[in-house]
Amino acid sequence: MVYIVAAFYWEAHMIIEAYGLKKVLESTHFQQFYSKEAGMCLTISGAGEIAAAAAVSSMCTQYQPGAGDMLLNIGICAGMGGQEGVFVVHKLTEQATGKTFYPDMLYRCPFPEASLMTGMAPQVGVGPQAGVLQRSRALGAVELPGRQEEAQRARGYRGLYDMEAAAVYQAGAYYFGPHQMVFIKVVSDNGGADAKDIAGHQVEQLFAKYKGSILGHIRFLQSVQKSLYRQGKGDLRIGRSAQGDKKQERIQALCADMHCSKAMKDGLLEYIRYLELAGIDYEAAIQRMYDEKKLPCKDKREGKKCFAQLKEYLL
């Protein structure tokens, strides 16, 4: 199943409509939409880190995700460096603590990568108008008493900015690996104290602009997720033939030569599954690394660098 978290309904409306998701009437704490046929559960969290973390925990406690499932956080954000369009996030920073998190980028994505900061500061001048998204966009607002540390971290920041993603990652980490979480953000404004409030219909129009590419990538994630279940929910089963057994032995030897931890091994195996689905000759790239004496690795740290280089070779 693909689990989706969005802060507001208008960020999720396109997905609900495209997949025919039905509202779960039994869900009382958060709005939730579900389709067994589509293999999808979508939760509307509301704005802010606490709401986002609570929504992820509530959904995952209810449905209990497995090794082949994925968590997708989608929504609007501010582009503090003047960015425009859709981005996939490769680095998350929590503004209040300075902690950083790195989703594993195992899949080819049609969107450029970006770093994102998640903060709790409310936007300056946000009013109670009906239909207006009460969302933080102003990094200038963190100059309130007790926020000097956050302001220092935010000063000069030129990436994306939202109010939920880092919390979604931290709550999701209890149920998903880093390779099972994807963060897609659509830039709605450029932040700052003068950022305008954005009405729901404007957000809907913004997502409609990128509908084809966003839904296309969600379909791709679904195909990867379904393949994982067909192959045994995370177990490495490439085939029952003698050739498949030899390939499995080679990949197990690769994990040993990279000194993979459990999390790194899971990521490597899922990456190889993706490459097989995409028809990419990963074995030639692995052999190249052996020929260049980059494998076997001396320790786990060297193994991580080797894994990163393998991804560069192939993607």
Side-chain angles (χ1 to χ4, degrees), residues 139-159:
L139 292 182
V142 299
E143 299 285 4
L144 297 172
R147 301 243 181 204
Q148 290 83 359
E149 219 175 298
E150 290 94 325
Q152 186 65 34
R153 293 192 187 98
R155 202 166 283 120
Y157 179 69
R158 306 297 290 172

Side-chain angles (χ1 to χ4, degrees), residues 46-54 94-96 118-120 162-168 170:
E49 292 186 75
I50 294 175
E94 187 176 52
Q95 187 184 60
T118 296
M120 295 186 290
D162 84 338
M163 288 183 63
E164 295 84 30
V168 170
Q170 291 178 84

Side-chain angles (χ1 to χ4, degrees), residues 169-209:
Y169 184 98
Q170 291 178 84
Y174 286 94
Y175 307 92
F176 302 89
H179 59 288
Q180 294 174 273
M181 293 187 276
V182 180
F183 297 80
I184 296 176
K185 296 294 174 177
V186 180
V187 176
S188 60
D189 58 78
N190 62 0
D194 59 345
K196 296 180 180 179
D197 296 336
I198 303 172
H201 72 275
Q202 293 175 296
V203 176
E204 186 178 13
Q205 291 171 0
L206 183 62
F207 273 83
K209 181 179 178 181

Side-chain angles (χ1 to χ4, degrees), residues 255-256 258-268 300 303-304:
C255 291
M258 282 188 172
H259 298 273
C260 291
S261 63
K262 177 65 167 61
M264 186 177 167
K265 181 178 179 180
D266 290 344
L268 178 61
K300 189 184 297 183
K304 288 181 179 179

Side-chain angles (χ1 to χ4, degrees), residues 42-310:
L42 187 151
T43 300
I44 307 297
S45 68
E49 292 186 75
I50 294 175
V56 172
S57 297
S58 176
M59 177 172 59
C60 293
T61 299
Q62 182 178 357
Y63 291 98
Q64 299 181 353
D69 293 323
M70 293 189 175
L71 175 64
L72 170 63
N73 175 221
I74 189 166
I76 58 174
C77 68
M80 306 309 297
Q83 299 95 329
E84 293 183 354
V86 188
F87 294 85
V88 60
V89 179
H90 69 271
K91 177 184 177 182
L92 295 159
T93 301
E94 187 176 52
Q95 187 184 60
T97 63
K99 293 180 180 179
T100 56
F101 312 96
Y102 298 89
D104 282 348
M105 308 295 291
L106 299 185
Y107 313 110
R108 192 185 301 274
C109 185
F111 314 120
E113 297 180 17
S115 61
L116 179 143
M117 180 181 289
T118 296
M120 295 186 290
Q123 184 177 14
V124 172
V126 170
Q129 301 97 321
V132 173
L133 298 180
Q134 310 250 341
R135 176 184 279 281
S136 171
R137 290 293 179 270
L139 292 182
V142 299
E143 299 285 4
L144 297 172
R147 301 243 181 204
Q148 290 83 359
E149 219 175 298
E150 290 94 325
Q152 186 65 34
R153 293 192 187 98
R155 202 166 283 120
Y157 179 69
R158 306 297 290 172
L160 308 180
Y161 181 84
D162 84 338
M163 288 183 63
E164 295 84 30
V168 170
Y169 184 98
Q170 291 178 84
Y174 286 94
Y175 307 92
F176 302 89
H179 59 288
Q180 294 174 273
M181 293 187 276
V182 180
F183 297 80
I184 296 176
K185 296 294 174 177
V186 180
V187 176
S188 60
D189 58 78
N190 62 0
D194 59 345
K196 296 180 180 179
D197 296 336
I198 303 172
H201 72 275
Q202 293 175 296
V203 176
E204 186 178 13
Q205 291 171 0
L206 183 62
F207 273 83
K209 181 179 178 181
Y210 304 107
K211 179 178 179 178
S213 57
I214 292 175
L215 291 180
H217 191 56
I218 291 175
R219 285 193 293 271
F220 170 74
L221 293 177
Q222 285 182 302
S223 70
V224 172
Q225 180 264 325
K226 290 176 181 177
S227 174
L228 292 179
Y229 274 111
R230 282 197 300 269
Q231 295 184 37
K233 296 186 179 180
D235 293 332
L236 182 61
R237 301 296 180 195
I238 296 176
R240 291 174 179 258
S241 65
Q243 184 179 358
D245 291 339
K246 289 180 180 179
K247 186 180 289 188
Q248 183 173 334
E249 289 175 7
R250 288 196 297 272
I251 294 174
Q252 297 292 2
L254 174 65
C255 291
D257 287 343
M258 282 188 172
H259 298 273
C260 291
S261 63
K262 177 65 167 61
M264 186 177 167
K265 181 178 179 180
D266 290 344
L268 178 61
L269 297 184
E270 185 164 347
Y271 184 57
I272 287 173
R273 291 190 191 97
Y274 157 69
L275 295 172
E276 289 190 330
L277 286 171
I280 297 172
D281 183 11
Y282 63 89
E283 291 191 278
I286 293 172
Q287 186 58 49
R288 174 183 170 184
M289 299 189 76
Y290 278 107
D291 294 341
E292 293 175 354
K293 307 301 182 184
K294 293 175 180 176
L295 283 168
C297 302
K298 295 178 181 178
D299 51 35
K300 189 184 297 183
R301 176 176 293 184
E302 193 173 295
K304 288 181 179 179
K305 292 180 181 179
C306 190
F307 186 19
Q309 191 165 13
L310 177 62

